Amino acid sequence: MSQNNFILSLLEIKGPNIRIIDVIDLPASSPADQEHTKLIKAQLSYPIKQCRHCGFAAVVKNGFRKAYVRLPSLNGIHYELELWKQRYYCRQCQTTFGATTNLTANNQTLSGQLKNQIMEFAKEGLNGKLIARVCHCSPSSVRRTIKERVKPHYRMAKLPHNLCFDEFRSVKSTMSFICCDSENHQLVATLHDQLSPSIIDYFENRYSKKERAQVKTVVIDLNAQYQSFIYRLFPNARIIIDRFHIVQLVGRALNNCR
Ligand SMILES: [Zn+2]
C-alpha cells in the first residue's frame, strides 16, 4: 500500500481518484484553543473521454478549483481536506465542468462521515451547540444535517380509537399541543401551538372523515376550546374529562381559598 493509500485508509476516504499532496499543521486560532487542525491538501483528478454535456470526445484538462471538505475528528484532532478538483474544458461545445466525488453532496462542505458522526451524537441526546463544538462545525450545520437525515412521520398509519389531548410548555415557554393514544400512550402528534385552527388543520389534512369517524373517545382537560371542535373533527367521539385535571383544579382552587 502506498503512503497515499495509507492516509486515505486512516481517514476512511474511499476515493480512488484522490491523491494526497501534503499534510499541514495549522496553528490554533486562539491561545485558549487547545485543539489544532490538520489541513490535508489533496487533488481530485481522473481521465475523461467524453464531454458531460455534448458527448463529443473533445475534452481537455483545464486547471483546478479549490474546495473544502470537513472530515470527522480523529483522536480529538480536527481534520480538514483542501481538495483541488480537476476542471475540464470541452472544445466542441466550449463548456467547462468539474471532477466529482461522493465524499460530499453537491455544493456542500460537510462529508458524509461527519454527518454520520453528527447523527450519532444527536441520537445520544447531545444538544446542537455541543455537537457543533465536538464536530467542528456551526450549530446551523448540525440543524441542517438533522433536518436532512430525519424525515418526520407525515402521519400515524392508523388513527387510534381513543385519543388524549393536552398541552405542555415547550421552547420559549410557549404552550404546545400533544395528542396520544390513551390505551398504549403512543404519540400521535405534537404541534407547535395549541390553537384550534392548527389542530383542526392537522387532523383534517391527514385523516379522512371516515378515519376520524372511528374515534370513540377523546380525553381532554377542562379546556372549553377543545370541546368546540372535537365533535366537528370526530363526529362519533365522546368527550371524557380527565380525572387528573379535575383533581388538579380542585387542589388549586383550595390553595387559592386558603
Ligand atoms: Zn461538449
Side-chain angles (χ1 to χ4, degrees):
M1 202 188 258
S2 69
Q3 199 177 0
N4 184 63
N5 290 347
F6 275 131
I7 299 173
L8 291 178
S9 159
L10 188 69
L11 297 167
E12 283 279 328
I13 297 174
K14 290 177 181 72
N17 305 311
I18 295 175
R19 194 169 63 86
I20 306 287
I21 308 167
D22 202 359
V23 180
I24 303 165
D25 269 307
L26 291 182
S29 51
S30 67
D33 195 3
Q34 293 292 311
E35 291 167 337
H36 70 283
T37 306
K38 275 191 190 288
L39 184 73
I40 301 155
K41 290 193 177 191
Q43 235 178 37
L44 171 75
S45 179
Y46 46 83
I48 278 187
K49 280 196 181 133
Q50 288 178 318
C51 169
R52 202 181 285 166
H53 303 289
C54 67
F56 275 88
V59 180
V60 286
K61 287 182 176 174
N62 185 35
F64 289 89
R65 187 178 285 172
K66 187 168 67 173
Y68 281 99
V69 180
R70 286 162 192 262
L71 301 171
S73 42
L74 195 72
N75 295 333
I77 297 167
H78 175 211
Y79 289 92
E80 204 162 289
L81 185 67
E82 187 184 291
L83 190 61
W84 289 82
K85 291 181 176 176
Q86 181 80 60
R87 299 289 301 170
Y88 302 95
Y89 173 71
C90 172
R91 284 180 178 146
Q92 184 67 33
C93 66
Q94 270 125 47
T95 54
T96 60
F97 52 95
T100 56
T101 165
N102 55 8
L103 216 55
T104 59
N106 257 350
N107 300 323
Q108 287 190 6
T109 57
L110 263 61
S111 69
Q113 290 170 42
L114 184 58
K115 286 184 178 179
N116 292 346
Q117 202 179 45
I118 290 172
M119 289 312 292
E120 283 302 317
F121 287 132
K123 278 181 203 162
E124 292 294 325
L126 264 68
N127 68 48
K129 267 188 186 168
L130 190 60
I131 299 175
R133 215 175 67 206
V134 175
C135 295
H136 305 275
C137 58
S138 64
S140 56
S141 300
V142 173
R143 212 161 39 236
R144 252 196 321 273
T145 304
I146 295 171
K147 224 173 159 183
E148 180 191 297
R149 297 258 173 128
V150 180
K151 294 275 171 273
H153 291 296
Y154 177 67
R155 53 163 268 182
M156 209 181 191
K158 191 174 175 289
L159 195 63
H161 287 164
N162 302 296
L163 296 172
C164 273
F165 282 10
D166 207 354
E167 56 262 5
F168 63 100
R169 205 171 287 281
S170 60
V171 282
K172 290 178 188 165
S173 299
T174 53
M175 295 304 275
S176 297
F177 170 79
I178 185 166
C179 171
C180 71
D181 184 337
S182 50
E183 281 171 43
N184 57 19
H185 304 150
Q186 215 182 352
L187 189 69
V188 175
T190 48
L191 304 179
H192 289 302
D193 59 57
Q194 41 136 1
L195 303 172
S196 308
S198 316
I199 301 168
I200 295 170
D201 279 354
Y202 181 85
F203 285 102
E204 281 190 339
N205 292 333
R206 283 167 179 79
Y207 300 97
S208 66
K209 198 175 176 186
K210 196 178 159 191
E211 280 176 296
R212 283 184 279 119
Q214 283 168 358
V215 173
K216 288 176 190 154
T217 61
V218 181
V219 182
I220 58 167
D221 52 8
L222 292 147
N223 190 338
Q225 174 210 329
Y226 292 153
Q227 294 177 27
S228 61
F229 62 78
I230 281 176
Y231 290 126
R232 174 182 152 186
L233 282 177
F234 312 108
N236 300 324
R238 272 191 307 129
I239 292 176
I240 299 172
I241 307 293
D242 186 18
R243 196 181 311 167
F244 162 76
H245 285 102
I246 298 174
V247 173
Q248 196 186 36
L249 204 71
V250 170
R252 267 185 208 154
L254 195 66
N255 272 340
N256 282 345
C257 207
R258 268 185 197 149

